[in-house]
Every structure is written in structure tokens, then in C-alpha cells.
Amino acid sequence: MSKRELGIDEKPKGIQAIRALPDKALGALWDSIIIEKSLKDQLLSQAVLNFTLRSKVPRTVVPLHGVIMLTGVPGTGKTSLARGLAHRVATAFPGGRFRLLEVEPHSLASAAHGKTQRAVTDLFASAIAEAALADPVIVLLDEVETLAADRAKLSMDANPVDVHRATDAVLVQLDALAEAHQNLLFVATSNFPQAVDSAFLSRCDLILEVPLPGREACADILKDCLTGLGRAYPAIGKLALAPELAAVAEACVGLDGRAIRKMVANALAANPDIAMNPERVTMDNILAAARAARAARVKGAGA
Ligand SMILES: Nc1ncnc2c1ncn2[C@@H]1O[C@H](COP(=O)(O)OP(=O)(O)OP(=O)(O)O)[C@@H](O)[C@H]1O
Ligand SMILES: [Mg+2]
């Protein structure tokens, strides 16, 4: 299948995907992440404000950079929320012709000195700036610690000067874009914010920590997962209403959302018979898988 048939535009170096918004698939991602409504509201409000306020209020009054950062341990839904946010912002401005650009930070890194800095500058000053000239743009900077590494923690021996310069270039470009393009929003994610340069963090308009799910959220994620499986296997869907669900949710506390969904898949692989006939899974299988996932996590954390 050609790139065009797959819905992927021709992309400049460093950009992994360009999507027209709104995009219902991204809306489904937003809905699939179960966190407190107040957090989703705060995230969406800050993103919407970016597009209402910045074109009207000078940066000498409110120095917004158009950068939102999501932090949190792996598997808590940061990337899903960032993509979903792009869809939700676009639906808040009907007819706004928003686009989502997804940056691929690893493709920018280059062993040759000076190349990364150059690639970063090209990406921000050319590709992103040009896109933002035409229509409102949301840029996903996933795993931003690769792009804006903390210069204070980089050892000159282990990390070539190139990495320092790449961070410098990101900061220079963010300042330039903030001045020139009010219809631009960066949504960055990191599960390692200690590794992100403090000058980058200082440029963020909002830093939001996406927490591990609490007991109620664990139950809701389980229900969502079982109900989703129920579309293919009706008997599994019925387990979402089982009284044992509360005990399974309790056993999941401490796991992230990704681990909870994977744990359900582990239960479906409890033995070859269930793997062949997933509708034979029981709540006991799921409870055992949840306890095993927790035990593995605790052991991993202690190691
Ligand atoms: N709070 C949650 N509610 C429901 N599903 C969740 C939640 N958190 C994570 N998931 C599920 O976990 C998977 C991983 O989510 P995602 O990739 O967005 O996490 P992430 O925080 O970006 O992880 P990483 O830091 O490893 O990149 C997705 O399938 C998502 O649906
Ligand atoms: Mg992610």
C-alpha cells in the first residue's frame, strides 16, 4: 500500500506523521485513558487557551511559549493523552483546519558532530515554522528528554558536544517560534523529567504529572478492557459485571494502565486451552494474573 493510501503525507526529516484534525481515532485514544476528569479538563483548557489568548496578548504581559509537558512513569497514558488532546482542541475550534505533527526525536540524533544541531534547527525553523504559517498546528514531542537533554547532567566524556548543542538549538528555536507563531502548540511527554533540561521545563506553560491509576480507575480500566474484549468474545464482556472485579482492581493498584491491559491478555494466556478459546477465562484467572503482575512489579522495583 502506498503512503498516501495509508493516510501518511510525505514528511520532512524528523517528522514521523502528519495528521489532519479532528481525527476520530485520536478522540478514541483520549476517551480510552481513564484519569480524573479534573486533569483532563486542566489539560484541555490550557491547550485551548493557547489558541484563544496568544494571538491577542503580548508576550511581555504573559510569556507563553505554547508548550505543555506531560510527565509520569511509563504506561500511564501520556502519549495517548497528547494525541487525543490534539483532536479535542481541534473540535473546540470547528473549521480551524488544525494539524498534528509528530516528531520522531531519535531520527534527529546523529553520531556526526554538528548534524543533530543542524537537524533540530531545520526541523523547527523550516518544517514546523512553515506548517504553522498556514494553519494551526499541534506538535507532539514524544520522549522529549532525547531532544532537550539536561545539559547540567551530561558528561562531556560520554556525550559529544553535539548533544549539548542540540538542546541549545531546541531552546533557541522554541523562543523564536513562540515570538513568531501564536497558532502553534507543542505537547511534550517524558517519563524521565529529571533528564530534561531545566531551561526547557522553564519554557513549559503547564507541566502535568499523569498519575498511576487509583483503585477506582483500575476498576474502570479493567471494565473498559473486558468490555472491549466482549465485542469479540461476549462471555468476556460479561465479566465486567462480575462481583470479583473489585478484588482484581485492588490487586492492580500500583500497576500502570498499560500493565493492567497487558495483565488481562496474560490471563487469556493462562493455559493453552484458554488461549485457543478465550471465552473460557475466569475471574480467578484474571485475579491470578493481576497478583503475578503486581508481584513482578514489586520485585522489579526492589531489584
Ligand atoms: N489511565 C489509563 N486508562 C486507560 N488505559 C491506559 C491508562 N494509562 C495507560 N493506558 C493504556 O496503556 C497503553 C499505553 O499508553 P501510552 O503509550 O499513552 O502511555 P505512555 O505514558 O506514553 O507510556 P511511555 O511513558 O512508556 O511512553 C495504551 O494502550 C493505553 O490505553
Ligand atoms: Mg509514551
Side-chain angles (χ1 to χ4, degrees):
M1 221 188 263
S2 74
K3 284 186 172 178
R4 204 159 280 285
E5 281 169 313
L6 287 166
I8 303 167
D9 295 346
E10 286 304 321
K11 304 164 306 262
K13 181 173 162 61
I15 305 251
Q16 120 190 327
I18 303 175
R19 296 170 201 262
L21 298 170
D23 178 332
K24 281 198 181 128
L26 301 184
L29 276 182
W30 176 263
D31 294 336
S32 75
I33 301 301
I34 294 157
I35 55 167
E36 279 200 20
K37 186 177 176 301
S38 60
L39 282 180
K40 275 192 183 173
D41 283 351
Q42 190 184 3
L43 185 56
L44 181 56
S45 306
Q46 185 75 39
V48 165
L49 183 79
N50 184 72
F51 293 99
T52 49
L53 189 93
R54 282 180 61 211
S55 57
K56 297 202 170 69
V57 177
R59 297 192 68 236
T60 46
V61 179
V62 187
L64 292 178
H65 271 85
V67 185
I68 293 177
M69 166 93 150
L70 297 175
T71 65
V73 298
T76 43
K78 300 176 295 295
T79 304
S80 308
L81 281 172
R83 290 198 174 116
L85 178 66
H87 165 83
R88 292 298 299 254
V89 171
T91 56
F93 298 93
R97 296 167 54 95
F98 280 72
R99 274 181 301 163
L100 173 65
L101 265 56
E102 298 194 5
V103 169
E104 211 294 272
H106 300 284
S107 79
L108 296 175
S110 155
H113 281 212
K115 287 261 175 68
T116 306
Q117 183 191 13
R118 184 59 197 268
V120 166
T121 304
D122 282 353
L123 172 70
F124 282 75
S126 305
I128 295 176
E130 273 164 29
L133 267 182
D135 294 306
V137 171
I138 297 169
V139 180
L140 172 62
L141 295 178
D142 217 9
E143 298 171 15
V144 74
E145 66 276 0
T146 7
L147 213 56
D150 187 349
R151 293 162 299 179
K153 292 199 184 120
L154 289 175
S155 124
M156 274 293 183
D157 298 336
N159 302 281
V161 104
D162 196 34
V163 182
H164 291 243
R165 290 202 183 131
T167 300
D168 293 342
V170 169
L171 298 173
V172 167
Q173 291 305 322
L174 276 183
D175 286 343
L177 288 171
E179 282 296 332
H181 299 282
Q182 286 78 37
N183 272 343
L184 181 57
L185 174 67
F186 290 93
V187 186
T189 78
S190 179
N191 50 40
F192 203 25
Q194 312 88 309
V196 178
D197 198 86
S198 58
F200 180 89
L201 297 174
S202 161
R203 280 161 176 75
C204 294
D205 303 331
L206 172 71
I207 300 176
L208 201 67
E209 184 176 351
V210 183
L212 282 174
R215 193 185 317 140
E216 253 179 65
C218 287
D220 288 342
I221 296 169
L222 277 169
K223 276 187 214 158
D224 188 72
C225 185
L226 295 171
T227 311
L229 282 162
R231 287 194 273 280
Y233 303 107
I236 302 181
K238 290 196 187 114
L239 296 180
L241 303 169
E244 298 92 333
L245 194 103
V248 179
E250 181 75 48
C252 286
V253 173
L255 295 178
D256 57 82
R258 179 191 282 141
I260 294 173
R261 292 182 189 273
K262 279 189 191 288
M263 174 282 286
V264 175
N266 294 150
L268 299 180
N271 61 49
D273 177 46
I274 300 176
M276 284 303 293
N277 307 282
E279 288 196 287
R280 292 189 187 157
V281 73
T282 64
M283 283 312 266
D284 279 350
N285 296 131
I286 300 176
L287 183 59
R291 289 190 173 141
R294 265 303 276 139
R297 185 59 59 98
V298 170
K299 201 170 157 212

